[in-house]
Structure formats: C-alpha cells, structure tokens
Amino acid sequence: MDGINYFSAFLIGLAGGVHCVGMCGGIVAALRMVSPKGASALPYTLAYNMGRITSYTLAGAITGALGKIAADFVPLANYALSLLSSIMLLLLACYLGKWWTGLSVLENAGKGLFAKLQPLSKRFLPFKTPLSAVPYGFIWGWLPCGLVYSTLTWSLAAGNALQGAGIMFFFGLGTLPTLLAASAGSQYLVQSFQHSYVRQVIAVIMAIYATYLIYGAFM
C-alpha cells in the first residue's frame, strides 16, 4: 500500500501543478532577477525546489510522527485518522477536479506562521550560489496552501514519521514538473499541465482510490 500511497501523492502534486503555478509561479520567475547575471537559471531553480520539497518532507515526518503517537495512546485513533485521511483525500480529489473548492479555506490557517517566516527569506537574497537558494526555498515551502495542508492530513494517518515524510516527498516531486516548466518559460508544458482533461482524469483516479479507502475503513 505504501507504493500506491506514494504514487497517489505524486499524482496529487502533478494535478495540482496549475495551483502551484498560481501560488509559486511568480516566485519562480523572480528567481531569475535575484540570480547572478549571465548564470543559468536551472541550478538556482532546482536548488529552490530542493529546499521547498525538503520543507514538505519535514512537515510530513512531523505529522506522521504525531499520528503514530496518537495511534499508540488514544483508543481507535488509528481508525479515526485513517477514515479522516480517506475523506480528506476524496475532498482533495473534488478540489483538484474543481467539483468543490471548499478546501481553499485551509490556506488561511497558516498565514500567521508564514508572516513570521517570510522576512527570514530576504536574508538569502540576492543569490550568490545555487546553495543559497536552498534555504530560501525551504522557507517558501511553508507558504499557506490548501493543497499542501490537505496532503498533510493524509500523511497524518501514514503510520509513522518515515511514511509521512515519504508521502510529502513524492507530493513535492509531483509539483516539480510544472514549476520547472514555468521557470524555463515553456508555456506549452505549463498549458499541458493546466489542461482540464488532465486534471479531471487524475481527480477521478484519486476519487476512486479515496472511495476504496473509505469503503475499506468500514469493512
């Protein structure tokens, strides 16, 4: 099941690429302005995304560990978390397919924390080397995002810190193609990821998988 969960997390990130371009596309484009003149943008973009995905992985490890603690000490917590994560996965499929966008309210939950972290990112500007883009990306990985928060809820029921980290790592990898395409200025690739048919197919797959998990929780 871990392999299926990781693949599903990757699909969530891939399908949410349109959302990622809207949230982070401007940031990725701005990386060119703070990178050394004449230098290739690719190393800085990769370093930035490495930091961003690292923040997702850390958050997944934390939520996975919290879920493990709850399962060990609270009766029926494991069952409740599994059911909650399955329901959230179904709602996330609806969010990705634009059938229901209520999960966007989750983005308000992290605004306070990010407001405190954002000023720290300015310490790493302008970039002198690609390495300096890693902590910058790590901070921006905490940007309030309903897509990230929903996937974190899923990692809460992953079973332990390692599996929770794995879910968020593969989610981060899924968001990478769109952001790299945006950085490279490839409108064709960005539009391909933005195509409604692609979103709908992935959303349907996720909805079927979530329904299967919910059904299994009651069996």
Side-chain angles (χ1 to χ4, degrees), residues 53-64 138 142 152 161 165 168-169:
I53 294 173
T54 299
S55 70
Y56 295 163
T57 305
L58 175 60
I62 293 173
T63 54
F138 180 84
W142 300 94
L152 276 174
M168 293 307 297
F169 173 75

Side-chain angles (χ1 to χ4, degrees), residues 122-135:
K122 297 180 181 179
R123 299 181 179 181
F124 303 100
L125 299 177
F127 299 143
K128 296 181 179 179
T129 66
L131 187 62
S132 60
V134 174

Side-chain angles (χ1 to χ4, degrees), residues 8 17 24 36 47 54-55 60 80 82 90 105 111 126 128 135 142 155 158 161 165 171 174 184 188 200 209 216:
S8 300
C24 304
T54 299
S55 70
S82 297
L90 179 59
V105 299
K111 287 185 177 180
K128 296 181 179 179
W142 300 94
S155 69
F171 163 78
Y188 174 77
Q200 293 300 318
Y209 181 49

Side-chain angles (χ1 to χ4, degrees), residues 27-202:
I27 300 172
V28 174
L31 293 180
R32 297 182 180 181
M33 301 180 62
V34 295
S35 301
K37 292 183 179 180
S40 172
L42 182 59
Y44 295 89
T45 302
L46 289 174
Y48 164 82
N49 282 287
M50 183 186 303
R52 182 177 59 86
I53 294 173
T54 299
S55 70
Y56 295 163
T57 305
L58 175 60
I62 293 173
T63 54
L66 291 175
K68 180 65 166 61
I69 293 173
D72 288 342
F73 294 98
V74 180
L76 298 179
N78 191 39
Y79 168 79
L81 289 175
S82 297
L83 182 59
L84 174 63
S85 66
S86 301
I87 293 174
M88 287 299 297
L89 187 60
L90 179 59
L91 296 179
L92 185 55
C94 295
Y95 179 76
L96 293 176
K98 291 188 176 181
W99 310 327
W100 179 75
T101 58
L103 287 182
S104 59
V105 299
L106 290 177
E107 294 174 2
N108 295 324
K111 287 185 177 180
L113 173 62
F114 186 69
K116 297 179 180 179
L117 291 176
Q118 185 178 2
L120 297 177
S121 65
K122 297 180 181 179
R123 299 181 179 181
F124 303 100
L125 299 177
F127 299 143
K128 296 181 179 179
T129 66
L131 187 62
S132 60
V134 174
Y136 183 82
F138 180 84
I139 293 174
W140 277 93
W142 300 94
L143 179 71
C145 174
L147 191 68
V148 173
Y149 294 161
S150 300
T151 312
L152 276 174
T153 304
W154 190 22
S155 69
L156 187 65
N160 54 54
L162 183 61
Q163 293 177 1
I167 286 176
M168 293 307 297
F169 173 75
F170 280 96
F171 163 78
L173 286 183
T175 65
L176 192 56
T178 310
L179 290 176
L180 289 179
S183 175
S186 177
Q187 292 301 315
Y188 174 77
L189 288 177
V190 172
Q191 290 173 1
S192 297
F193 289 121
Q194 290 177 334
H195 199 287
S196 61
Y197 178 77
V198 175
R199 290 175 61 99
Q200 293 300 318
V201 168
I202 296 178

